[in-house]
Amino acid sequence: MGKTSWLIILVTCLCLLAFSDGRELKVRHKKPHYQYNHTLATILVEYASAVYLSDLTELFTWTCSRCNGLTKVLKISLKWKQGFEMIELVVDVEHCLQAFVGVADDPCAIIIAFRGTNEHSLQNWIEDLYWKQHDINYPGMDDAMVHRGFYTAYHNTTIRPAILDAVERAKKFYGDIEIIATGHSMGGAMASFCGLDLTVNQNEKNVQVMTFGQPRVGNAAFASLYTKLVPNTIRVTNDHDIVPHLPPYYYYLPQKTYHHFPRENLRTCGLQVWLYNIGLGSLVYNVEKICDESGEDPDCSRSVTGNSIADHLVYYGVDMGSDEPSSCRIVMDSHVQNTSIRDSRGNLILSRDPATPLIKLGGEGDNQENPINVD
């Protein structure tokens, strides 16, 4: 997307934000018991970054440059074990979406990562900024409304069935371990819907969600109900990141306006963590602030103008974005291509049985023989 297009988006968003107010929808809360694990956040942000990569061979075999910090071989119970094992990689080419499911040794969990908005894809940004709300077809959520684009991206594409199938296969092999859904930007919104789906529709009891730079995804009724159902949810926002300010929050439309997840009660550990810098002369300090229970803490990210794309693209020093300048481009080794499933619309699923080793690639230096490019 050109600089002119970015400028138009920024000006439009800032004009809308100018009509919003710093006050929140007042809800009475008990003091929550929350848990924020900095180390876990710095691990999950790397998964949320890796899922952006366009080289499906490197991503599926977990040999990508962004996987380096997560591929340490660990010695557990006198056996050498890979730090992360990929189970399934799904690419919805039709809608420019991508996600993977794998099993990590630390934390011991099934990891589900969703790719966020491709900064070079106008289609994704239009979807992000399409604010029309949609009734959610979940039991007990009669008044809940959600963002139609984000909801559809998870529920009405090839992403959901592939994810659920991979989770089921992973649990059969690894047992009833924790499930962690993560993602950045739109990927964070999809991770939230995935966490809710696993809890409500799949009856999973041990689901955690941690997102980075996530936009608002529903109204206050949805946010409150979501927090009760998926209490172990943490949203991380970075300084002046523009995306968590969207769609805008309007205090005078409490039922219709978008509202971030709040904390709810003593059982809830859902919270927001705001990352920002404090400058003292030539010194700059990184600060992590745990926000209040409202979901719209005026002293956290709402205390600053959400006008930065740069702050959206780096979390904990990790790049969050596509590695390819062209929109929705993927590259795939011919050996991996032969193991993939492609539907009539060109969508791809790369899958493996957890009990079997990863596919054997060609000789050294042969990883990019006959690459497949999809724009």
Side-chain angles (χ1 to χ4, degrees):
M1 186 181 296
K3 293 182 178 179
T4 302
S5 299
W6 282 119
L7 182 60
I8 292 173
I9 291 175
L10 282 172
V11 170
T12 302
C13 294
L14 291 174
C15 287
L16 288 168
L17 289 170
F19 291 97
S20 64
D21 191 277
R23 291 173 287 178
E24 297 83 21
L25 179 67
K26 299 299 181 181
V27 181
R28 185 178 298 275
H29 298 276
K30 296 179 181 179
K31 185 177 180 180
H33 175 267
Y34 58 79
Q35 295 178 345
Y36 166 63
N37 186 322
H38 172 82
T39 300
L40 178 61
T42 58
I43 292 174
L44 293 180
V45 75
E46 295 195 53
Y47 287 111
S49 173
V51 73
Y52 273 101
L53 295 178
S54 59
D55 190 321
L56 302 189
T57 301
E58 292 187 354
L59 188 56
F60 187 62
T61 58
W62 208 243
T63 56
C64 59
S65 59
R66 297 190 188 185
C67 308
N68 286 342
L70 302 170
T71 56
K72 297 177 182 178
V73 179
L74 305 175
K75 190 175 182 181
I76 299 178
S77 301
L78 302 180
K79 294 182 180 180
W80 294 100
K81 183 176 181 181
Q82 189 74 14
F84 180 77
E85 295 181 345
M86 184 71 72
I87 303 298
E88 188 150 295
L89 171 60
V90 54
V91 183
D92 192 305
V93 177
E94 186 179 13
H95 300 96
C96 193
L97 302 171
Q98 187 163 298
F100 66 69
V101 178
V103 177
D105 182 67
D106 182 19
C108 180
I110 297 170
I111 305 294
I112 309 172
F114 295 86
R115 185 175 70 184
T117 307
N118 187 322
E119 66 269 29
H120 306 292
S121 173
L122 180 61
Q123 175 185 347
N124 273 180
W125 272 108
I126 290 175
E127 189 171 37
D128 279 3
L129 299 174
Y130 184 47
W131 298 344
K132 187 172 182 180
Q133 292 186 349
H134 174 75
D135 291 320
I136 186 168
N137 187 24
Y138 276 20
M141 288 194 171
D142 295 339
D143 297 325
M145 302 286 286
V146 296
H147 184 285
R148 177 175 291 179
F150 299 145
Y151 182 84
T152 299
Y154 173 74
H155 278 277
N156 298 343
T157 65
T158 58
I159 297 294
R160 179 178 183 265
I163 293 293
L164 296 184
D165 175 71
V167 169
E168 182 179 0
R169 287 187 288 113
K171 289 187 65 179
K172 284 182 179 179
F173 186 78
Y174 289 97
D176 191 20
I177 60 176
E178 184 178 19
I179 302 172
I180 303 177
T182 188
H184 167 257
S185 192
M186 184 175 70
M190 295 176 68
S192 298
F193 284 121
C194 179
L196 182 64
D197 182 28
L198 289 168
T199 301
V200 175
N201 297 322
Q202 309 303 316
N203 297 315
E204 296 290 348
K205 305 300 182 184
N206 197 9
V207 177
Q208 179 175 351
V209 176
M210 182 180 288
T211 68
F212 307 91
Q214 176 192 321
R216 297 181 178 97
V217 298
N219 64 359
F222 172 78
S224 183
L225 289 166
Y226 176 94
T227 308
K228 290 180 180 179
L229 294 169
V230 194
N232 201 0
T233 297
I234 297 175
R235 293 184 300 105
V236 182
T237 59
N238 183 35
D239 216 357
H240 291 253
D241 184 348
I242 185 174
V243 174
H245 292 256
L246 299 173
Y249 170 79
Y250 301 108
Y251 80 94
Y252 46 82
L253 295 173
Q255 299 305 318
K256 293 295 184 181
T257 193
Y258 284 87
H259 196 292
H260 274 307
F261 305 138
R263 304 172 191 166
E264 188 64 26
N265 53 43
L266 288 174
R267 294 185 301 105
T268 297
C269 56
L271 56 94
Q272 177 187 357
V273 180
W274 182 39
L275 310 176
Y276 65 101
N277 298 321
I278 293 179
L280 298 174
S282 60
L283 300 177
V284 176
Y285 295 91
N286 298 321
V287 179
E288 294 179 331
K289 176 179 172 59
I290 306 298
C291 307
D292 74 13
E293 72 278 6
S294 70
E296 295 290 346
D297 189 341
D299 295 321
C300 280
S301 64
R302 285 186 58 207
S303 67
V304 299
T305 303
N307 59 0
S308 176
I309 295 169
D311 286 347
H312 184 61
L313 298 178
V314 178
Y315 271 72
Y316 297 99
V318 177
D319 290 334
M320 311 296 290
S322 174
D323 59 327
E324 286 289 342
S326 57
S327 63
C328 305
R329 180 176 182 265
I330 60 173
V331 180
M332 184 165 45
D333 182 280
S334 58
H335 300 285
V336 175
Q337 180 192 7
N338 292 335
T339 67
S340 66
I341 300 173
R342 186 189 295 264
D343 67 17
S344 60
R345 294 169 293 183
N347 303 316
L348 293 166
I349 297 178
L350 286 74
S351 183
R352 61 176 286 265
D353 187 327
T356 62
L358 281 171
I359 58 171
K360 299 292 185 180
L361 297 180
E364 186 176 353
D366 191 35
N367 285 359
Q368 291 307 318
E369 180 184 355
N370 301 321
I372 307 299
N373 299 330
V374 180
D375 292 322

